[in-house]
Short mmCIF file of all heavy atoms in Angstrom, two decimals:
data_model
loop_
_atom_site.label_atom_id
_atom_site.label_comp_id
_atom_site.label_asym_id
_atom_site.label_seq_id
_atom_site.Cartn_x
_atom_site.Cartn_y
_atom_site.Cartn_z
N VAL S 4 0.85 -1.17 0.00
CA VAL S 4 0.00 0.00 0.00
C VAL S 4 0.89 1.23 0.00
O VAL S 4 1.84 1.31 0.77
CB VAL S 4 -0.94 0.01 1.23
CG1 VAL S 4 -1.72 1.28 1.29
CG2 VAL S 4 -1.84 -1.20 1.20
N GLU S 5 0.53 2.14 -0.85
CA GLU S 5 1.31 3.37 -0.96
C GLU S 5 1.00 4.29 0.21
O GLU S 5 -0.14 4.43 0.64
CB GLU S 5 0.97 4.08 -2.28
CG GLU S 5 1.81 5.29 -2.54
CD GLU S 5 1.54 5.86 -3.90
OE1 GLU S 5 0.42 5.74 -4.40
OE2 GLU S 5 2.47 6.45 -4.45
N SER S 6 2.03 4.91 0.74
CA SER S 6 1.86 5.90 1.79
C SER S 6 2.86 7.02 1.55
O SER S 6 3.69 6.96 0.64
CB SER S 6 2.08 5.28 3.18
OG SER S 6 3.44 4.94 3.34
N ILE S 7 2.80 8.05 2.37
CA ILE S 7 3.73 9.17 2.24
C ILE S 7 5.16 8.70 2.48
O ILE S 7 6.08 9.11 1.78
CB ILE S 7 3.34 10.30 3.23
CG1 ILE S 7 1.98 10.88 2.83
CG2 ILE S 7 4.39 11.38 3.24
CD1 ILE S 7 1.42 11.85 3.84
N ASN S 8 5.32 7.81 3.44
CA ASN S 8 6.67 7.34 3.79
C ASN S 8 7.20 6.28 2.83
O ASN S 8 8.40 6.05 2.77
CB ASN S 8 6.67 6.78 5.21
CG ASN S 8 6.35 7.83 6.23
OD1 ASN S 8 6.67 8.99 6.05
ND2 ASN S 8 5.70 7.42 7.30
N LYS S 9 6.31 5.60 2.11
CA LYS S 9 6.74 4.54 1.20
C LYS S 9 5.94 4.61 -0.11
O LYS S 9 4.98 3.87 -0.32
CB LYS S 9 6.53 3.17 1.84
CG LYS S 9 7.09 2.03 1.00
CD LYS S 9 6.74 0.69 1.63
CE LYS S 9 7.19 -0.44 0.75
NZ LYS S 9 6.38 -0.57 -0.46
N PRO S 10 6.33 5.51 -1.00
CA PRO S 10 5.62 5.58 -2.28
C PRO S 10 5.95 4.38 -3.15
O PRO S 10 7.02 3.79 -3.06
CB PRO S 10 6.14 6.88 -2.90
CG PRO S 10 7.45 7.12 -2.24
CD PRO S 10 7.37 6.50 -0.87
N LEU S 11 5.00 4.00 -4.01
CA LEU S 11 5.20 2.88 -4.91
C LEU S 11 5.97 3.34 -6.14
O LEU S 11 5.74 4.43 -6.65
CB LEU S 11 3.86 2.31 -5.37
CG LEU S 11 2.97 1.70 -4.30
CD1 LEU S 11 1.64 1.26 -4.91
CD2 LEU S 11 3.65 0.51 -3.65
N ASP S 12 6.89 2.50 -6.61
CA ASP S 12 7.57 2.84 -7.85
C ASP S 12 6.71 2.39 -9.03
O ASP S 12 5.65 1.78 -8.87
CB ASP S 12 8.98 2.24 -7.91
CG ASP S 12 8.98 0.72 -7.86
OD1 ASP S 12 7.90 0.12 -7.94
OD2 ASP S 12 10.07 0.13 -7.75
N GLU S 13 7.14 2.70 -10.23
CA GLU S 13 6.34 2.43 -11.42
C GLU S 13 6.10 0.94 -11.64
O GLU S 13 5.02 0.53 -12.06
CB GLU S 13 7.02 3.04 -12.64
CG GLU S 13 6.11 3.21 -13.82
CD GLU S 13 4.90 4.07 -13.52
OE1 GLU S 13 5.03 5.07 -12.78
OE2 GLU S 13 3.81 3.73 -14.00
N GLU S 14 7.09 0.11 -11.33
CA GLU S 14 6.93 -1.34 -11.49
C GLU S 14 5.86 -1.88 -10.54
O GLU S 14 5.05 -2.72 -10.93
CB GLU S 14 8.27 -2.03 -11.24
CG GLU S 14 8.22 -3.53 -11.47
CD GLU S 14 9.57 -4.18 -11.24
OE1 GLU S 14 10.60 -3.51 -11.40
OE2 GLU S 14 9.57 -5.36 -10.88
N GLU S 15 5.86 -1.42 -9.30
CA GLU S 15 4.85 -1.86 -8.34
C GLU S 15 3.46 -1.39 -8.77
O GLU S 15 2.49 -2.13 -8.62
CB GLU S 15 5.17 -1.33 -6.95
CG GLU S 15 6.37 -1.98 -6.30
CD GLU S 15 6.74 -1.33 -4.99
OE1 GLU S 15 6.66 -0.09 -4.87
OE2 GLU S 15 7.11 -2.09 -4.07
N ARG S 16 3.36 -0.19 -9.30
CA ARG S 16 2.07 0.31 -9.78
C ARG S 16 1.53 -0.56 -10.90
O ARG S 16 0.34 -0.90 -10.92
CB ARG S 16 2.19 1.75 -10.27
CG ARG S 16 2.30 2.77 -9.19
CD ARG S 16 2.40 4.16 -9.81
NE ARG S 16 2.66 5.16 -8.82
CZ ARG S 16 1.71 5.87 -8.23
NH1 ARG S 16 0.46 5.68 -8.57
NH2 ARG S 16 2.02 6.76 -7.32
N ARG S 17 2.39 -0.94 -11.84
CA ARG S 17 1.96 -1.80 -12.94
C ARG S 17 1.54 -3.17 -12.43
O ARG S 17 0.54 -3.73 -12.89
CB ARG S 17 3.07 -1.94 -13.98
CG ARG S 17 3.13 -0.75 -14.93
CD ARG S 17 4.13 -0.96 -16.03
NE ARG S 17 5.40 -0.41 -15.52
CZ ARG S 17 6.57 -1.01 -15.58
NH1 ARG S 17 6.68 -2.18 -16.15
NH2 ARG S 17 7.64 -0.44 -15.08
N TYR S 18 2.28 -3.72 -11.46
CA TYR S 18 1.94 -5.02 -10.90
C TYR S 18 0.56 -4.99 -10.23
O TYR S 18 -0.29 -5.84 -10.48
CB TYR S 18 3.00 -5.46 -9.90
CG TYR S 18 2.61 -6.70 -9.13
CD1 TYR S 18 2.67 -7.96 -9.72
CD2 TYR S 18 2.14 -6.60 -7.82
CE1 TYR S 18 2.28 -9.09 -9.02
CE2 TYR S 18 1.75 -7.73 -7.11
CZ TYR S 18 1.82 -8.97 -7.72
OH TYR S 18 1.44 -10.07 -7.02
N TYR S 19 0.34 -4.00 -9.37
CA TYR S 19 -0.93 -3.91 -8.66
C TYR S 19 -2.08 -3.59 -9.61
O TYR S 19 -3.21 -4.03 -9.40
CB TYR S 19 -0.85 -2.89 -7.52
CG TYR S 19 0.00 -3.39 -6.38
CD1 TYR S 19 1.09 -2.64 -5.93
CD2 TYR S 19 -0.25 -4.60 -5.76
CE1 TYR S 19 1.89 -3.10 -4.89
CE2 TYR S 19 0.53 -5.06 -4.72
CZ TYR S 19 1.60 -4.30 -4.29
OH TYR S 19 2.38 -4.76 -3.27
N ALA S 20 -1.82 -2.83 -10.66
CA ALA S 20 -2.85 -2.56 -11.67
C ALA S 20 -3.24 -3.85 -12.37
O ALA S 20 -4.43 -4.12 -12.61
CB ALA S 20 -2.37 -1.52 -12.67
N ARG S 21 -2.25 -4.68 -12.72
CA ARG S 21 -2.52 -5.96 -13.38
C ARG S 21 -3.33 -6.88 -12.47
O ARG S 21 -4.30 -7.51 -12.91
CB ARG S 21 -1.20 -6.62 -13.78
CG ARG S 21 -1.36 -7.77 -14.72
CD ARG S 21 -0.03 -8.34 -15.20
NE ARG S 21 1.08 -7.43 -15.19
CZ ARG S 21 2.20 -7.59 -14.48
NH1 ARG S 21 2.35 -8.67 -13.73
NH2 ARG S 21 3.17 -6.70 -14.51
N VAL S 22 -2.96 -6.95 -11.21
CA VAL S 22 -3.69 -7.80 -10.25
C VAL S 22 -5.13 -7.30 -10.10
O VAL S 22 -6.08 -8.09 -10.09
CB VAL S 22 -2.97 -7.82 -8.88
CG1 VAL S 22 -3.82 -8.47 -7.82
CG2 VAL S 22 -1.64 -8.54 -9.01
N THR S 23 -5.30 -5.99 -10.02
CA THR S 23 -6.63 -5.41 -9.88
C THR S 23 -7.49 -5.72 -11.09
O THR S 23 -8.67 -6.07 -10.95
CB THR S 23 -6.53 -3.89 -9.67
OG1 THR S 23 -5.74 -3.63 -8.52
CG2 THR S 23 -7.89 -3.26 -9.49
N HIS S 24 -6.91 -5.62 -12.28
CA HIS S 24 -7.68 -5.93 -13.49
C HIS S 24 -8.08 -7.39 -13.55
O HIS S 24 -9.20 -7.72 -13.97
CB HIS S 24 -6.88 -5.54 -14.74
CG HIS S 24 -6.73 -4.07 -14.91
ND1 HIS S 24 -5.55 -3.48 -15.26
CD2 HIS S 24 -7.61 -3.05 -14.75
CE1 HIS S 24 -5.70 -2.19 -15.33
NE2 HIS S 24 -6.95 -1.90 -15.01
N CYS S 25 -7.21 -8.27 -13.12
CA CYS S 25 -7.54 -9.71 -13.11
C CYS S 25 -8.66 -10.01 -12.13
O CYS S 25 -9.59 -10.77 -12.45
CB CYS S 25 -6.30 -10.54 -12.75
SG CYS S 25 -5.06 -10.58 -14.04
N ILE S 26 -8.61 -9.43 -10.96
CA ILE S 26 -9.66 -9.65 -9.96
C ILE S 26 -10.99 -9.11 -10.45
O ILE S 26 -12.03 -9.75 -10.32
CB ILE S 26 -9.26 -9.02 -8.61
CG1 ILE S 26 -8.09 -9.80 -8.00
CG2 ILE S 26 -10.45 -8.99 -7.66
CD1 ILE S 26 -7.49 -9.14 -6.79
N THR S 27 -10.96 -7.92 -11.05
CA THR S 27 -12.19 -7.32 -11.57
C THR S 27 -12.77 -8.17 -12.70
O THR S 27 -13.98 -8.39 -12.76
CB THR S 27 -11.92 -5.89 -12.07
OG1 THR S 27 -11.37 -5.13 -10.99
CG2 THR S 27 -13.19 -5.23 -12.56
N ALA S 28 -11.91 -8.66 -13.59
CA ALA S 28 -12.38 -9.51 -14.69
C ALA S 28 -13.01 -10.79 -14.15
O ALA S 28 -14.05 -11.24 -14.66
CB ALA S 28 -11.23 -9.83 -15.64
N LEU S 29 -12.42 -11.37 -13.12
CA LEU S 29 -12.97 -12.58 -12.51
C LEU S 29 -14.34 -12.29 -11.89
O LEU S 29 -15.28 -13.08 -12.05
CB LEU S 29 -12.01 -13.12 -11.45
CG LEU S 29 -12.43 -14.38 -10.74
CD1 LEU S 29 -12.53 -15.54 -11.73
CD2 LEU S 29 -11.46 -14.72 -9.63
N GLN S 30 -14.48 -11.16 -11.21
CA GLN S 30 -15.76 -10.81 -10.61
C GLN S 30 -16.83 -10.61 -11.68
O GLN S 30 -17.98 -11.04 -11.52
CB GLN S 30 -15.63 -9.54 -9.77
CG GLN S 30 -14.86 -9.74 -8.50
CD GLN S 30 -14.67 -8.45 -7.73
OE1 GLN S 30 -14.70 -7.37 -8.29
NE2 GLN S 30 -14.47 -8.57 -6.43
N VAL S 31 -16.46 -9.96 -12.77
CA VAL S 31 -17.42 -9.74 -13.86
C VAL S 31 -17.83 -11.07 -14.48
O VAL S 31 -19.02 -11.28 -14.78
CB VAL S 31 -16.83 -8.77 -14.91
CG1 VAL S 31 -17.69 -8.74 -16.17
CG2 VAL S 31 -16.70 -7.38 -14.32
N CYS S 32 -16.90 -11.99 -14.65
CA CYS S 32 -17.23 -13.31 -15.18
C CYS S 32 -18.19 -14.05 -14.27
O CYS S 32 -19.15 -14.68 -14.74
CB CYS S 32 -15.96 -14.14 -15.38
SG CYS S 32 -14.94 -13.59 -16.75
N VAL S 33 -17.97 -13.98 -12.98
CA VAL S 33 -18.88 -14.62 -12.03
C VAL S 33 -20.27 -13.99 -12.11
O VAL S 33 -21.29 -14.70 -12.11
CB VAL S 33 -18.32 -14.55 -10.59
CG1 VAL S 33 -19.36 -14.95 -9.56
CG2 VAL S 33 -17.09 -15.41 -10.46
N LEU S 34 -20.32 -12.66 -12.24
CA LEU S 34 -21.62 -12.00 -12.37
C LEU S 34 -22.34 -12.42 -13.65
O LEU S 34 -23.55 -12.62 -13.65
CB LEU S 34 -21.45 -10.48 -12.33
CG LEU S 34 -21.11 -9.88 -10.97
CD1 LEU S 34 -20.92 -8.38 -11.08
CD2 LEU S 34 -22.18 -10.20 -9.95
N ILE S 35 -21.61 -12.54 -14.74
CA ILE S 35 -22.22 -12.98 -16.00
C ILE S 35 -22.76 -14.40 -15.87
O ILE S 35 -23.86 -14.70 -16.33
CB ILE S 35 -21.20 -12.87 -17.15
CG1 ILE S 35 -20.93 -11.40 -17.45
CG2 ILE S 35 -21.69 -13.60 -18.40
CD1 ILE S 35 -19.79 -11.16 -18.41
N ILE S 36 -22.01 -15.27 -15.21
CA ILE S 36 -22.46 -16.64 -15.00
C ILE S 36 -23.72 -16.66 -14.14
O ILE S 36 -24.69 -17.37 -14.45
CB ILE S 36 -21.34 -17.50 -14.36
CG1 ILE S 36 -20.22 -17.72 -15.37
CG2 ILE S 36 -21.89 -18.83 -13.86
CD1 ILE S 36 -18.96 -18.33 -14.78
N LEU S 37 -23.75 -15.86 -13.08
CA LEU S 37 -24.94 -15.80 -12.24
C LEU S 37 -26.14 -15.29 -13.02
O LEU S 37 -27.26 -15.79 -12.86
CB LEU S 37 -24.68 -14.90 -11.02
CG LEU S 37 -23.73 -15.45 -9.97
CD1 LEU S 37 -23.42 -14.39 -8.92
CD2 LEU S 37 -24.29 -16.70 -9.32
N PHE S 38 -25.90 -14.29 -13.88
CA PHE S 38 -26.99 -13.75 -14.68
C PHE S 38 -27.52 -14.80 -15.66
O PHE S 38 -28.73 -14.95 -15.83
CB PHE S 38 -26.51 -12.50 -15.42
CG PHE S 38 -27.59 -11.80 -16.17
CD1 PHE S 38 -28.50 -11.00 -15.51
CD2 PHE S 38 -27.71 -11.95 -17.54
CE1 PHE S 38 -29.51 -10.35 -16.20
CE2 PHE S 38 -28.71 -11.31 -18.24
CZ PHE S 38 -29.61 -10.51 -17.57
N CYS S 39 -26.60 -15.53 -16.29
CA CYS S 39 -27.00 -16.55 -17.26
C CYS S 39 -27.71 -17.73 -16.61
O CYS S 39 -28.57 -18.36 -17.23
CB CYS S 39 -25.79 -17.04 -18.04
SG CYS S 39 -25.12 -15.81 -19.16
N LEU S 40 -27.35 -18.03 -15.37
CA LEU S 40 -28.00 -19.13 -14.65
C LEU S 40 -29.31 -18.71 -14.01
O LEU S 40 -29.92 -19.48 -13.27
CB LEU S 40 -27.05 -19.69 -13.58
CG LEU S 40 -25.83 -20.42 -14.10
CD1 LEU S 40 -24.93 -20.84 -12.94
CD2 LEU S 40 -26.23 -21.63 -14.92
N ASP S 41 -29.71 -17.47 -14.27
CA ASP S 41 -30.97 -16.92 -13.77
C ASP S 41 -31.00 -16.86 -12.24
O ASP S 41 -32.02 -17.13 -11.61
CB ASP S 41 -32.16 -17.71 -14.31
CG ASP S 41 -33.45 -16.90 -14.28
OD1 ASP S 41 -33.37 -15.66 -14.38
OD2 ASP S 41 -34.53 -17.51 -14.12
N LEU S 42 -29.86 -16.57 -11.66
CA LEU S 42 -29.77 -16.36 -10.21
C LEU S 42 -29.73 -14.86 -9.96
O LEU S 42 -28.71 -14.30 -9.54
CB LEU S 42 -28.53 -17.06 -9.66
CG LEU S 42 -28.51 -18.58 -9.82
CD1 LEU S 42 -27.15 -19.14 -9.46
CD2 LEU S 42 -29.60 -19.21 -8.98
N GLN S 43 -30.85 -14.21 -10.22
CA GLN S 43 -30.91 -12.76 -10.20
C GLN S 43 -30.58 -12.15 -8.84
O GLN S 43 -29.92 -11.11 -8.77
CB GLN S 43 -32.30 -12.28 -10.64
CG GLN S 43 -32.70 -12.75 -12.02
CD GLN S 43 -31.79 -12.21 -13.11
OE1 GLN S 43 -31.29 -11.10 -13.01
NE2 GLN S 43 -31.55 -13.01 -14.12
N ASP S 44 -31.00 -12.78 -7.76
CA ASP S 44 -30.73 -12.23 -6.43
C ASP S 44 -29.23 -12.14 -6.16
O ASP S 44 -28.73 -11.12 -5.67
CB ASP S 44 -31.41 -13.07 -5.35
CG ASP S 44 -32.92 -12.98 -5.41
OD1 ASP S 44 -33.43 -11.99 -5.97
OD2 ASP S 44 -33.57 -13.91 -4.90
N TYR S 45 -28.51 -13.19 -6.49
CA TYR S 45 -27.06 -13.20 -6.29
C TYR S 45 -26.37 -12.23 -7.25
O TYR S 45 -25.40 -11.58 -6.90
CB TYR S 45 -26.50 -14.60 -6.47
CG TYR S 45 -27.03 -15.57 -5.44
CD1 TYR S 45 -27.91 -16.57 -5.82
CD2 TYR S 45 -26.66 -15.48 -4.11
CE1 TYR S 45 -28.41 -17.46 -4.88
CE2 TYR S 45 -27.14 -16.36 -3.17
CZ TYR S 45 -28.01 -17.35 -3.56
OH TYR S 45 -28.50 -18.23 -2.63
N PHE S 46 -26.88 -12.15 -8.48
CA PHE S 46 -26.32 -11.22 -9.46
C PHE S 46 -26.44 -9.79 -8.96
O PHE S 46 -25.47 -9.04 -8.99
CB PHE S 46 -27.04 -11.38 -10.80
CG PHE S 46 -26.73 -10.28 -11.77
CD1 PHE S 46 -25.51 -10.26 -12.44
CD2 PHE S 46 -27.63 -9.26 -12.00
CE1 PHE S 46 -25.20 -9.24 -13.33
CE2 PHE S 46 -27.34 -8.25 -12.88
CZ PHE S 46 -26.12 -8.23 -13.56
N TYR S 47 -27.62 -9.41 -8.50
CA TYR S 47 -27.81 -8.04 -8.04
C TYR S 47 -26.99 -7.74 -6.79
O TYR S 47 -26.47 -6.64 -6.63
CB TYR S 47 -29.29 -7.75 -7.78
CG TYR S 47 -30.09 -7.65 -9.07
CD1 TYR S 47 -31.23 -8.43 -9.26
CD2 TYR S 47 -29.70 -6.80 -10.09
CE1 TYR S 47 -31.96 -8.35 -10.44
CE2 TYR S 47 -30.41 -6.71 -11.27
CZ TYR S 47 -31.54 -7.49 -11.43
OH TYR S 47 -32.24 -7.41 -12.60
N ALA S 48 -26.85 -8.71 -5.91
CA ALA S 48 -26.03 -8.50 -4.71
C ALA S 48 -24.57 -8.27 -5.10
O ALA S 48 -23.92 -7.36 -4.56
CB ALA S 48 -26.15 -9.71 -3.78
N GLY S 49 -24.06 -9.05 -6.02
CA GLY S 49 -22.68 -8.86 -6.48
C GLY S 49 -22.50 -7.55 -7.20
O GLY S 49 -21.50 -6.84 -7.02
N TYR S 50 -23.47 -7.19 -8.05
CA TYR S 50 -23.39 -5.95 -8.80
C TYR S 50 -23.40 -4.74 -7.87
O TYR S 50 -22.59 -3.83 -8.02
CB TYR S 50 -24.56 -5.89 -9.79
CG TYR S 50 -24.62 -4.61 -10.58
CD1 TYR S 50 -23.74 -4.39 -11.63
CD2 TYR S 50 -25.55 -3.63 -10.29
CE1 TYR S 50 -23.78 -3.23 -12.37
CE2 TYR S 50 -25.60 -2.46 -11.01
CZ TYR S 50 -24.72 -2.26 -12.05
OH TYR S 50 -24.76 -1.09 -12.76
N VAL S 51 -24.30 -4.75 -6.91
CA VAL S 51 -24.39 -3.63 -5.97
C VAL S 51 -23.11 -3.52 -5.14
O VAL S 51 -22.63 -2.43 -4.88
CB VAL S 51 -25.64 -3.77 -5.07
CG1 VAL S 51 -25.61 -2.80 -3.92
CG2 VAL S 51 -26.90 -3.59 -5.90
N SER S 52 -22.54 -4.65 -4.75
CA SER S 52 -21.31 -4.59 -3.95
C SER S 52 -20.16 -3.99 -4.75
O SER S 52 -19.39 -3.19 -4.21
CB SER S 52 -20.94 -5.98 -3.43
OG SER S 52 -20.55 -6.81 -4.49
N ILE S 53 -20.04 -4.32 -6.03
CA ILE S 53 -18.98 -3.74 -6.86
C ILE S 53 -19.20 -2.24 -7.02
O ILE S 53 -18.27 -1.45 -6.93
CB ILE S 53 -18.91 -4.45 -8.23
CG1 ILE S 53 -18.37 -5.86 -8.04
CG2 ILE S 53 -18.04 -3.68 -9.21
CD1 ILE S 53 -18.38 -6.70 -9.30
N VAL S 54 -20.44 -1.83 -7.25
CA VAL S 54 -20.75 -0.41 -7.40
C VAL S 54 -20.46 0.35 -6.11
O VAL S 54 -19.89 1.46 -6.13
CB VAL S 54 -22.19 -0.21 -7.87
CG1 VAL S 54 -22.62 1.23 -7.80
CG2 VAL S 54 -22.38 -0.75 -9.28
N LEU S 55 -20.82 -0.23 -4.97
CA LEU S 55 -20.56 0.43 -3.69
C LEU S 55 -19.05 0.58 -3.42
O LEU S 55 -18.61 1.64 -2.98
CB LEU S 55 -21.21 -0.33 -2.55
CG LEU S 55 -22.72 -0.16 -2.41
CD1 LEU S 55 -23.26 -1.10 -1.33
CD2 LEU S 55 -23.06 1.27 -2.09
N VAL S 56 -18.30 -0.46 -3.69
CA VAL S 56 -16.85 -0.38 -3.48
C VAL S 56 -16.25 0.69 -4.38
O VAL S 56 -15.42 1.49 -3.94
CB VAL S 56 -16.18 -1.76 -3.73
CG1 VAL S 56 -14.68 -1.62 -3.80
CG2 VAL S 56 -16.57 -2.72 -2.63
N ALA S 57 -16.67 0.74 -5.64
CA ALA S 57 -16.17 1.77 -6.56
C ALA S 57 -16.55 3.15 -6.07
O ALA S 57 -15.72 4.08 -6.11
CB ALA S 57 -16.72 1.52 -7.96
N GLY S 58 -17.76 3.31 -5.61
CA GLY S 58 -18.20 4.62 -5.09
C GLY S 58 -17.41 5.04 -3.88
O GLY S 58 -16.97 6.20 -3.78
N PHE S 59 -17.18 4.13 -2.95
CA PHE S 59 -16.40 4.47 -1.76
C PHE S 59 -14.95 4.77 -2.09
O PHE S 59 -14.32 5.62 -1.44
CB PHE S 59 -16.49 3.35 -0.72
CG PHE S 59 -17.82 3.27 -0.02
CD1 PHE S 59 -18.44 2.04 0.16
CD2 PHE S 59 -18.45 4.40 0.42
CE1 PHE S 59 -19.67 1.96 0.79
CE2 PHE S 59 -19.67 4.33 1.06
CZ PHE S 59 -20.29 3.11 1.24
N MET S 60 -14.42 4.10 -3.10
CA MET S 60 -13.04 4.40 -3.51
C MET S 60 -12.95 5.82 -4.09
O MET S 60 -11.98 6.53 -3.83
CB MET S 60 -12.54 3.38 -4.53
CG MET S 60 -12.27 2.02 -3.90
SD MET S 60 -11.79 0.78 -5.09
CE MET S 60 -10.19 1.38 -5.56
N VAL S 61 -13.95 6.22 -4.86
CA VAL S 61 -13.96 7.57 -5.43
C VAL S 61 -14.10 8.60 -4.31
O VAL S 61 -13.42 9.62 -4.30
CB VAL S 61 -15.07 7.70 -6.47
CG1 VAL S 61 -15.28 9.16 -6.87
CG2 VAL S 61 -14.77 6.85 -7.69
N ILE S 62 -14.99 8.33 -3.37
CA ILE S 62 -15.19 9.26 -2.26
C ILE S 62 -13.93 9.36 -1.40
O ILE S 62 -13.55 10.45 -0.97
CB ILE S 62 -16.40 8.83 -1.40
CG1 ILE S 62 -17.69 9.00 -2.18
CG2 ILE S 62 -16.45 9.62 -0.10
CD1 ILE S 62 -18.89 8.37 -1.51
N GLY S 63 -13.27 8.24 -1.19
CA GLY S 63 -12.07 8.23 -0.37
C GLY S 63 -10.87 8.85 -1.04
O GLY S 63 -9.89 9.22 -0.40
N LYS S 64 -10.92 9.00 -2.33
CA LYS S 64 -9.80 9.57 -3.08
C LYS S 64 -9.73 11.02 -2.75
O LYS S 64 -8.85 11.69 -2.53
CB LYS S 64 -10.05 9.40 -4.58
CG LYS S 64 -8.86 9.62 -5.42
CD LYS S 64 -8.00 8.42 -5.38
CE LYS S 64 -6.93 8.55 -6.47
NZ LYS S 64 -5.99 7.52 -6.41
#
């Protein structure tokens, strides 16, 4: 985690960006599978949780 005392270098930023993209892609795949299996309650719960996390990250920025 980046802090004032320990900033991330460019290589670490690229690594964490890659990991974040992989995790997000996996979550989206799971949501698509839930939607296709007609498990709407679980789909909406996952969708809302992703939106909430994104919103809190923007607010915290």
Side-chain angles (χ1 to χ4, degrees):
V4 175
E5 185 174 30
S6 69
I7 294 172
N8 296 329
K9 186 185 175 288
L11 296 177
D12 62 8
E13 198 58 38
E14 183 179 333
E15 289 174 321
R16 285 180 187 266
R17 279 186 270 132
Y18 171 76
Y19 289 124
R21 193 175 334 119
V22 170
T23 302
H24 290 136
C25 289
I26 291 171
T27 303
L29 181 64
Q30 289 176 336
V31 169
C32 288
V33 168
L34 287 178
I35 290 171
I36 290 169
L37 289 172
F38 185 77
C39 290
L40 292 176
D41 202 29
L42 297 171
Q43 301 297 326
D44 293 337
Y45 297 110
F46 168 76
Y47 288 126
Y50 177 76
V51 169
S52 68
I53 290 174
V54 170
L55 284 174
V56 168
F59 287 135
M60 288 176 69
V61 169
I62 292 170
K64 195 79 169 174

